[in-house]
Amino acid sequence: MQLTSFDWLIVFAFFAVSLAIGLWASRDSGKSTQEFFLSGRNMPWWLLGVSMVATTFSADTPNLVTDIVRKQGVAGNWAWWAFLLTGMLTVFVYARLWRRSGVMTDLEFYELRYAGGPARFLRQFRAIYLGVFFNVMIMATVCLAGIKIAGVLLDIDPITTVVLVSVVTVIYSAMGGLKGVILTDFVQFTFAMIGAVWAAYVVVNLPEVGGLDGLFSHAEVSERLDLIPSFDNPEVYVPLFVVPIAVQWWSVWYPGAEPGGGGYVAQRMLAAKNENHAVGATLLFNAFHYALRPWPWILIALASVIVFPDLESIATAFPNVSANVIDDDLAYPAMLSYLPTGLLGLVIASLIAALMSTLSTHLNWGSSYVVHDWYHRFVEPEASEDRLVLIGRISTVLLMVLAAILALALSNALQAFSILLQIGAGTGLIFILRWFWWRINAYTEIAGMFISFAVALFLEFAWVPIGLPELAGHERLLLGIAITTVGWLAVTFATRPTDMATLTNFYTTTRPGGPGWQPVVTQLPERTDTQADGQLPLRILAMLIGAITVYSVLFATGFYLYGRTVATLIAGGVAAVGVALLYTIWGKLRR
């Protein structure tokens, strides 16, 4: 497809703005690792919240949603909607604890919570395991989305795509540090949302689609509209709804939706001005992520079912796209090819914005692990701040190179999403309980990490070859969760707990509260500055109300688009009540 000069002008203007912000932020970012990785711990909640949501609004996300909707219908999105429960738990329970801990990265947490060689091993290993391996995998899926978008809309080959995006992203990420990333995220999120909503409006009103009425009345679309799958067939509703909402959200570790908070979400909370700003940032993130953004993508995905009913029709329409990347997720950029001049440039700029915001965050976050939790902690403890910032910039470049290479080997976003879910199966409960149960130790986390990884590899590559019956995706996930959970629980009770001095220091620093710390609390002096606030039950209630409220907004939007007035009013009313209750509870929590 050929872009006009006006389209290209919009795209290049966006690149120029991103680079300018990175260069402006570089004035402060090079002063220290605190500035480079945490922006001086002085960021407001609204900027941090938008930055989080911009990061999760990656170029691969609408592709993933399109893949899900075309294969499983709208209800298939519970595979990620269920993680709202994790997010709200982070908002009302964990955000304050992370900010109170005072660590620079969530991996530094290990040597605050645990002690000795196991804690040091855990921190060092996960710095490489997450900072490099997992991080590169996530960035590769993002680059893959960029490859598909560029192939369909710009007729650019994969290598050229990853080189162009990588160079610009690395420049402003390496120069501007976290401040440059956050400020650029704000601009990029604005671009991305305007582009997504406007594109959905144009696509739905294409003659082939016929507006909302024509879309929802189409035979192939109408059967995909359920927000919650029908409970007539357990083979449908169990994997699509029951497993995600009952098990997956608390038991599976996934970047950006870590049970107990973590990763780049923890990085944003640690960069907040104070605990209240950390809570506000994560609340804004979850509201925007789950209630504001999904419907433009879903509408385009449903429209693609009419315009491109199968993979053959996509391949025929775009003969220059490599055959190995033709899959249902390609339908999203395929639909964008119908956009008019001007809007096409804006949407392409918005997709580039989404792509670069995610890459820049993962580059800075992964680099913080490599520098703070590996190089500075174990390689050169006496390194100067200037040298650490230099190592951070070098590792930023290397991470981008590895991700670009891996991107050329992947084929679709859902494939990578499923792999990451399986690898993290069974570890989520550890990240929730380690704040509230004194008995969790470093060996617990080591066992969970290695068992889940080994089980994932066995189920993926050895289960069927040794003659065992093939399992459905949700069956493999549940089996992985069960084996991993039993394994780390056994290791927990078979090994010695963390020494009491370390546990006491952790408890008095973070003051998490809850009955799981009773053996530690009984040994503490009667001082008010070491006591928890006693509001854990109220915080859990706020988490449940918050989740119901956001789901209600999500449903109300869907019902409104479907033309179901009564259902819209009911869902909207539930959302309004939820907002009022949250406002009341938040007032009590702040006091």
Side-chain angles (χ1 to χ4, degrees):
M1 153 168 256
Q2 295 296 319
L3 269 68
T4 67
S5 299
F6 184 57
D7 292 320
W8 282 115
L9 180 62
I10 295 174
V11 173
F12 285 127
F14 165 74
F15 277 119
V17 169
S18 298
L19 289 173
I21 292 173
L23 293 174
W24 178 83
S26 66
R27 299 179 303 170
D28 297 323
S29 66
K31 293 179 180 178
S32 67
T33 50
Q34 286 276 347
E35 286 289 344
F36 192 79
F37 294 122
L38 290 180
S39 191
R41 297 186 190 269
N42 196 36
M43 298 303 291
W45 64 274
W46 57 273
L47 263 181
L48 292 171
V50 171
S51 179
M52 292 182 202
V53 77
T55 296
T56 53
F57 189 167
S58 170
D60 69 319
T61 314
N63 290 17
L64 171 64
V65 171
T66 301
D67 201 346
I68 290 172
V69 171
R70 286 173 64 91
K71 287 184 170 73
Q72 302 167 341
V74 175
N77 286 286
W78 283 102
W80 65 280
W81 286 348
F83 285 121
L84 171 63
L85 297 171
T86 303
M88 283 299 172
L89 197 61
T90 298
V91 171
F92 293 105
V93 177
Y94 294 105
R96 66 191 179 94
L97 300 178
W98 278 112
R99 185 62 183 85
R100 195 177 291 172
S101 71
V103 298
M104 181 180 287
T105 69
D106 57 323
L107 298 190
E108 187 181 344
F109 168 92
Y110 290 124
E111 291 192 285
L112 176 67
R113 174 63 173 81
Y114 313 123
R120 290 191 296 272
F121 167 79
L122 197 56
R123 182 177 179 182
Q124 184 175 17
F125 180 83
R126 286 183 76 84
I128 304 301
Y129 177 67
L130 295 181
V132 179
F133 173 76
F134 253 85
N135 206 29
V136 166
M137 173 67 84
I138 294 293
M139 289 191 294
T141 63
V142 176
C143 289
L144 172 64
I147 289 171
K148 296 193 174 190
I149 291 168
V152 171
L153 299 180
L154 305 177
D155 198 20
I156 298 178
D157 65 272
I159 295 178
T160 302
T161 300
V162 296
V163 169
L164 289 174
V165 172
S166 300
V167 168
V168 176
T169 307
V170 163
I171 289 175
Y172 80 76
S173 300
M175 295 299 294
L178 183 62
K179 179 179 288 186
V181 171
I182 290 174
L183 294 176
T184 309
D185 279 348
F186 186 83
V187 175
Q188 291 170 338
F189 178 69
T190 303
F191 263 88
M193 281 308 303
I194 292 173
V197 173
W198 198 350
Y201 175 82
V202 172
V203 165
V204 166
N205 287 284
L206 289 172
E208 297 92 330
V209 179
L212 290 176
D213 292 338
L215 176 65
F216 297 142
S217 63
H218 191 279
E220 294 297 323
V221 172
S222 60
E223 62 185 23
R224 291 176 165 86
L225 296 180
D226 289 340
L227 298 180
I228 296 177
S230 172
F231 286 87
D232 296 336
N233 185 357
E235 293 183 1
V236 175
Y237 70 76
V238 169
L240 293 190
F241 182 74
V242 175
V243 170
I245 206 71
V247 179
Q248 181 178 298
W249 70 271
W250 57 262
S251 62
V252 172
W253 182 94
Y254 184 77
E258 300 90 343
Y264 60 79
V265 174
Q267 184 188 34
R268 299 304 193 276
M269 293 187 286
L270 293 168
K273 290 182 178 180
N274 53 45
E275 293 176 24
N276 287 333
H277 278 266
V279 173
T282 49
L283 180 59
L284 178 67
F285 160 54
N286 282 279
F288 277 20
H289 181 51
Y290 294 98
L292 177 65
R293 295 188 319 187
W295 282 107
W297 304 333
I298 291 172
L299 290 175
I300 292 178
L302 292 171
S304 76
V305 175
I306 299 174
V307 180
F308 298 105
D310 52 36
L311 299 184
E312 183 179 351
S313 61
I314 298 176
T316 301
F318 304 97
N320 294 329
V321 176
S322 178
N324 71 306
V325 298
I326 297 291
D327 209 320
D328 282 306
D329 60 343
L330 195 65
Y332 186 84
M335 292 302 299
L336 299 184
S337 66
Y338 286 84
L339 300 182
T341 298
L343 177 56
L344 179 59
L346 175 64
V347 169
I348 290 177
S350 75
L351 291 172
I352 294 173
L355 174 67
M356 291 170 57
S357 66
T358 303
L359 289 177
S360 62
T361 285
H362 280 271
L363 288 171
N364 187 268
W365 165 51
S367 179
S368 73
Y369 285 178
V370 172
V371 173
H372 184 66
D373 298 296
W374 178 68
Y375 184 84
H376 191 204
R377 177 65 180 86
F378 298 103
V379 178
E380 192 176 351
E382 303 302 322
S384 66
E385 286 295 309
D386 287 342
R387 182 166 181 81
L388 293 176
V389 172
L390 175 62
I391 297 298
R393 286 170 170 161
I394 292 173
S395 61
T396 296
V397 175
L398 293 178
L399 287 172
M400 189 68 255
V401 171
L402 292 174
I405 294 173
L406 180 59
L408 301 175
L410 294 176
S411 62
N412 74 83
L414 188 56
Q415 169 195 18
F417 179 79
S418 300
I419 291 172
L420 291 178
L421 284 184
Q422 189 64 56
I423 289 176
T427 60
L429 194 57
I430 299 174
F431 303 119
I432 292 176
L433 291 179
R434 65 187 184 181
W435 292 91
F436 293 101
W437 186 26
W438 73 282
R439 195 61 180 80
I440 295 288
N441 59 34
Y443 293 108
T444 306
E445 297 217 26
I446 293 171
M449 178 174 59
F450 282 107
I451 293 172
S452 66
F453 189 76
V455 170
L457 292 180
F458 177 76
L459 293 176
E460 183 70 25
F461 300 109
W463 181 269
V464 173
I466 65 173
L468 295 172
E470 187 167 355
L471 300 174
H474 72 284
E475 293 173 332
R476 292 199 297 176
L477 186 68
L478 291 174
L479 182 59
I481 291 170
I483 295 173
T484 301
T485 302
V486 170
W488 65 254
L489 279 172
V491 169
T492 300
F493 288 109
T495 54
R496 295 167 58 185
T498 304
D499 66 89
M500 191 56 65
T502 300
L503 292 175
T504 300
N505 177 64
F506 174 78
Y507 186 86
T508 55
T509 299
T510 61
R511 305 189 305 279
W517 286 100
Q518 196 59 35
V520 177
V521 173
T522 55
Q523 300 188 33
L524 293 176
E526 292 294 331
R527 299 201 330 257
T528 57
D529 62 339
T530 64
Q531 304 302 312
D533 59 21
Q535 294 181 315
L536 184 58
L538 188 61
R539 295 183 185 279
I540 294 176
L541 176 62
M543 166 256 183
L544 294 173
I545 294 174
I548 292 172
T549 301
V550 174
Y551 281 138
S552 297
V553 175
L554 174 71
F555 279 30
T557 305
F559 291 141
Y560 174 78
L561 292 171
Y562 290 174
R564 297 171 58 181
T565 304
V566 175
T568 302
L569 293 174
I570 293 174
V574 172
V577 172
V579 169
L581 290 174
L582 285 177
Y583 182 81
T584 302
I585 292 174
W586 179 241
K588 294 180 179 180
L589 290 176
R590 294 192 67 176
R591 290 195 297 270

